[in-house]
């Protein structure tokens, strides 16, 4: 039996074209057919690694090693988070057009199989975490409370996107901690910037489901903001750009970073200009464009590494 396509996965993703049929429900449960979430989880980690290396240079080899660890960890923990979220939300997902074909609500996998897969992915993440310093390990363990609570936020607050921001941008603290063994103001500024960024892009994403969410009583920033979404996005994205700039200044980055920051601002302004909250396809496309936004932030911070002139 052919596995049905998830609406926002795209018909040519590698899971549905190359992966063995028995593995596809597991790979889809981990969202490996939709890598955008892994990018959004990974970018704050890489931003923080670069920022920390502006403040306390560690060398290319160590930076690449930590970057590889965060890449593996991002894939594993994004998959584990999605699996946990789908286990908790399986009844809600069955009532939403965009999610009803996911492996659990569609019956492709049992809840028991999903729990086993969750444990396996979590063990991979744990192995990665244990390769970091003691402070970073403790910090990583602390993030589990945010992850555990996230699926329930849409039931109790209009701002589950804010909680996602707290969760998805934890890497902005982890990267700094992995390099320096502590936390500092630049990392906290970068973390706050990531939260504001997430509030923006996930509000755009939530507009895809607003009709179904309203019918079943699920809350979101998209429903809360309604026609006020664009003005709110200006505030969210503007705050993100400002805080990224302050984080770079706090570590004494080369002023060349301002060129990249300008490009970041232009990209985010373009998202707001193009947004039509009643067009789900455009909302999805703009949400996915935050992969490029994250790359621009990384380039911005890398420009801060350029040695200053004499």
């Amino acid at each position: 039996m052919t596995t049905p396509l998830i609406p926002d996965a795209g018909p040519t993703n590698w899971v549905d074209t190359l992966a063995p049929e028995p593995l596809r429900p597991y790979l889809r449960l981990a969202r490996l057919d939709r890598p955008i979430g892994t990018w959004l989880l990974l970018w704050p980690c890489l931003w923080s690694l670069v920022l920390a290396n502006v403040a306390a240079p560690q060398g290319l080899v160590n930076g690449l090693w930590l970057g590889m660890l965060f890449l593996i960890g991002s894939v594993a923990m994004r998959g584990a988070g999605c699996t946990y979220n789908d286990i908790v939300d399986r009844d809600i997902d069955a009532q939403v057009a965009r999610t009803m074909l996911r492996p659990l609500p569609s019956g492709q996998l049992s809840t028991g199989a999903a729990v086993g897969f969750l444990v396996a992915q979590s063990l991979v993440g744990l192995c990665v975490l244990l390769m970091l310093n003691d402070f970073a390990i403790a910090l990583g363990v602390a993030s589990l409370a945010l992850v555990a609570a996230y699926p329930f936020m849409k039931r109790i607050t209009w701002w589950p996107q804010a909680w996602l921001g707290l969760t998805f941008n934890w890497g902005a603290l982890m990267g700094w901690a992995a390099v320096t063994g502590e936390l500092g103001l630049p990392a906290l500024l970068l973390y706050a910037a990531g939260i504001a960024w997430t509030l923006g892009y996930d509000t755009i994403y939530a507009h895809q489901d607003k009709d179904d969410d309203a019918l079943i009583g699920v809350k979101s920033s998209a429903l809360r903001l309604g026609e006020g979404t664009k003005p709110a996005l200006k505030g969210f994205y503007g705050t993100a750009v400002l805080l990224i700039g302050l984080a770079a200044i706090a570590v004494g980055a080369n002023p060349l970073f301002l060129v990249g920051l300008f490009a970041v601002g232009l990209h985010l302004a373009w998202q707001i200009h193009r947004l039509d909250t009643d067009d789900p396809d455009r909302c999805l496309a703009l949400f996915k464009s935050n992969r490029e936004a994250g790359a621009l932030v990384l380039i911005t911070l890398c420009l801060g590494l350029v040695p200053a002139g004499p």
Side-chain angles (χ1 to χ4, degrees), residues 223-278:
L223 287 172
R224 184 70 179 88
L225 292 170
E227 295 298 320
T229 291
K230 282 196 173 186
L233 289 178
K234 293 177 183 178
F236 298 151
Y237 281 163
T239 298
V241 171
L242 174 62
L243 290 171
I244 291 167
L246 291 176
I249 291 170
V251 296
N254 188 314
L256 190 60
F257 84 86
L258 290 169
V259 176
L261 194 63
F262 180 71
V264 173
L266 281 180
H267 179 88
L268 297 177
W270 169 80
Q271 286 188 34
I272 298 170
H273 174 71
R274 290 283 297 155
L275 180 62
D276 178 352
T277 58
D278 293 320

Side-chain angles (χ1 to χ4, degrees), residues 6-26:
I6 300 294
D8 58 359
T12 59
N13 70 83
W14 74 274
V15 171
D16 293 304
T17 56
L18 298 175
E21 186 75 29
L23 294 181
R24 291 181 187 179
Y26 292 96

Side-chain angles (χ1 to χ4, degrees), residues 62-103:
N62 188 59
L64 291 175
W65 167 248
L66 289 173
M68 184 187 70
L69 290 180
F70 279 116
L71 171 60
I72 296 170
S74 294
V75 173
M77 295 313 296
R78 190 259 180 149
C82 289
T83 301
Y84 170 66
N85 189 78
D86 282 9
I87 292 170
V88 174
D89 280 352
R90 59 192 184 276
D91 294 333
I92 290 177
D93 286 346
Q95 303 175 64
V96 177
R98 188 180 55 81
T99 59
M100 63 175 53
L101 294 180
R102 286 178 176 173

Side-chain angles (χ1 to χ4, degrees), residues 30-41:
R31 307 290 196 275
L32 292 180
D33 54 341
R34 285 165 288 164
I36 179 61
T38 300
W39 283 110
L40 296 176
L41 188 62

Side-chain angles (χ1 to χ4, degrees), residues 7-10 33-37 39-40 43 201 204-205 208 267 270-271 281-293:
D8 58 359
D33 54 341
R34 285 165 288 164
I36 179 61
W39 283 110
L40 296 176
W43 283 134
Y201 70 61
I204 292 173
Y205 188 79
Q208 297 178 93
H267 179 88
W270 169 80
Q271 286 188 34
D281 290 338
R282 183 171 296 184
C283 289
L284 180 61
L286 291 174
F287 165 75
K288 288 182 175 180
S289 77
N290 281 282
R291 179 186 64 178
E292 287 70 37

Side-chain angles (χ1 to χ4, degrees), residues 154 157-161 206 213 218-225:
K154 65 173 72 84
T157 176
W158 290 106
W159 299 99
Q161 283 67 34
D213 287 350
V218 171
K219 300 176 180 180
S220 75
S221 58
L223 287 172
R224 184 70 179 88
L225 292 170

